[in-house]
Amino acid sequence: MVVVSRQLQSAAGLLPVERALATLRSAGFGGEEAVRILRTFIAYIVGSLLREVGVTPTFAPVHHSQAEIGKVDPVLFPETSSLAAELGACDHEAEFEFGLELLIRAIAVERGRHG
C-alpha cells in the first residue's frame, strides 16, 4: 500500500516513468498521448494489485467461494448464475497478462490510427 499510495519524486522512482515515456515517444506518440498511455498502464497495474490483495471490489474469489456466487437468483441474474464457476475461480497472473495484452493491442490500434 505504501508503494501505490505515494508520489515517486526520487531519481529511482522517476526512472521507470522516464523510460516508459521515452519508449512511447520513440514509437511515435505525442507528449500528451504518451502521458495518457502511461497513466492508463499505471492505473491498470495499481488496480490489479489492489484487486489481488482484496482491497477493491472484484469478480475474483478473494473472500467469496464459488458456492456463495452460485447462490444468486438465476432468474434475476441468469448470466452470473450460469458463469458462477468462472467467477469463482481466478488465476491472478493469467488475468493480469490477459488485461495487459488487451492494453497493448489497444495502444497498437491507437498508434495505427494516428500513424
Side-chain angles (χ1 to χ4, degrees):
M1 288 305 298
V2 171
V3 172
V4 299
S5 64
R6 299 286 183 259
Q7 295 291 324
L8 300 177
Q9 300 299 327
S10 68
L14 290 175
L15 186 58
V17 172
E18 177 65 22
R19 287 188 177 156
L21 290 172
T23 299
L24 291 164
R25 298 282 286 172
S26 69
F29 289 103
E32 184 178 345
E33 286 177 307
V35 168
R36 292 179 82 191
I37 291 168
L38 176 63
R39 286 180 178 152
T40 300
F41 270 98
I42 291 170
Y44 174 71
I45 291 166
V46 170
S48 293
L49 290 171
L50 291 174
R51 181 194 65 209
E52 189 170 335
V53 297
V55 175
T56 61
T58 180
F59 290 106
V62 175
H63 301 292
H64 303 290
S65 70
Q66 182 178 338
E68 290 172 341
I69 294 170
K71 291 180 184 177
V72 299
D73 183 339
V75 174
L76 289 175
F77 305 103
E79 295 299 328
T80 303
S81 178
S82 71
L83 295 170
E86 288 81 0
L87 289 168
C90 183
D91 176 340
H92 289 287
E93 188 172 326
E95 295 297 322
F96 182 82
E97 293 291 328
F98 177 78
L100 189 60
E101 182 65 29
L102 285 177
L103 281 174
I104 291 168
R105 288 182 194 169
I107 290 168
V109 168
E110 182 69 16
R111 179 66 193 115
R113 289 180 351 132
H114 298 285

